[in-house]
Each structure stands twice: as C-alpha cells, then as structure tokens.
C-alpha cells in the first residue's frame, strides 16, 4: 500500500482531515512499535510505506500495555482527549495497517498483542 492510499483510507474510515489523519497514523504507529518486542517493529516498518518507517518506534523489550494503556498513549501522542475518538482513529489506522501487511507479518504482529489490541485491527485472533 502506498503512503497516499494509506492516509486516504484512514481519512475515510475515521472521518479526518489530511493533517489529522497523518498525525493519527504517526501516533498509532509510534505506540504500536513501542509495544512490540524483538525485531517485530522493524519487520512492521519494512512493510509500510517508506515515509512511515520513522513513525514506528523501536523498543526491543516491548512494553506490556493492555488496550487501555495503548489507547491512552495514542491519545497523548495524537493530542486527542476524547476516548471514543481515539479508539475510532486507532481502529481506522490498525485496520489499514492490517490490510497493508502480508499474511505472515500480520500473524507475527498479532501474536505479540493482547486480545483487546488485536480487536482494534478488526481481524480474527491468530492461532498458535
């Protein structure tokens, strides 16, 4: 998926303007990358448009955030206080990210996340 297509998809899904969609994508990718352990953040970034590579935070240990902490951090970075809006934005970004990844990477990514965060992707929970 190209950068422009990704931003346009998030804009449509979340009902955001261009700048808000970019800020939302950057915030979600930053928090998601920080949540991932090992090389998974690098693997994620490698499948995203190059312009978004720097948005994926690298943290080899990975944070152990549940969905509430995940969304709080997204809202803080996105500078959006309304919890419902933050959830809507995160869902729009994560669903778009899920579509941009190949099946193996999507499986590896979701395998590191708790059910509450996986639910935001709008895809079935991985098995095994």
């Amino acid at each position: 998926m190209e950068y422009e297509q990704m931003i346009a998809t998030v804009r449509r899904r979340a009902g955001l303007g261009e700048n808000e969609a970019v800020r939302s994508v950057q915030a979600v990718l930053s928090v998601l990358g920080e949540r991932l352990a090992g090389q998974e953040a690098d693997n994620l970034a490698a499948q995203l448009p190059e312009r978004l590579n720097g948005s994926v935070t690298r943290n080899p240990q990975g944070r152990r955030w549940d969905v509430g902490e995940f969304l709080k951090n997204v809202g803080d970075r996105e500078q959006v206080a309304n919890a419902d809006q933050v959830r809507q934005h995160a869902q729009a970004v994560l669903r778009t990210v899920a579509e941009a990844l190949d099946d193996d990477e999507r499986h590896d990514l979701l395998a590191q996340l708790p059910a509450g965060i996986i639910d935001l992707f709008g895809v079935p929970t991985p098995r095994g």
Side-chain angles (χ1 to χ4, degrees):
M1 183 178 295
E2 297 295 323
Y3 175 83
E4 291 79 13
Q5 181 184 6
M6 182 170 259
I7 298 302
T9 301
V10 170
R11 283 183 67 187
R12 184 177 81 290
R13 287 180 171 162
L16 296 171
E18 177 86 17
N19 292 338
E20 296 159 314
V22 170
R23 187 171 50 243
S24 183
V25 168
Q26 291 171 338
V28 172
L29 290 177
S30 174
V31 175
L32 179 61
E34 199 169 329
R35 176 65 176 76
L36 300 172
Q39 297 296 310
E40 196 54 44
D42 288 330
N43 297 342
L44 168 64
Q47 291 200 16
L48 295 174
E50 189 174 333
R51 287 176 65 182
L52 294 174
N53 189 292
S55 297
V56 180
T57 301
R58 273 54 166 206
N59 179 20
Q61 294 77 34
R63 305 267 184 197
R64 304 304 297 168
W65 294 324
D66 63 15
V67 68
E69 293 167 306
F70 182 86
L71 290 171
K72 181 195 178 309
N73 283 290
V74 168
D76 290 348
R77 293 180 195 184
E78 191 180 9
Q79 299 178 343
V80 173
N82 182 295
D84 291 336
Q85 287 180 339
V86 172
R87 177 176 285 278
Q88 179 185 12
H89 300 172
Q91 285 176 322
V93 172
L94 293 175
R95 287 178 181 183
T96 305
V97 165
E99 292 169 1
L101 302 177
D102 67 35
D103 291 342
D104 289 338
E105 179 54 28
R106 186 178 319 109
H107 179 271
D108 291 348
L109 171 72
L110 296 176
Q112 284 202 21
L113 300 172
I117 296 174
I118 291 172
D119 291 346
L120 298 173
F121 282 86
V123 296
T125 303
R127 294 192 177 98

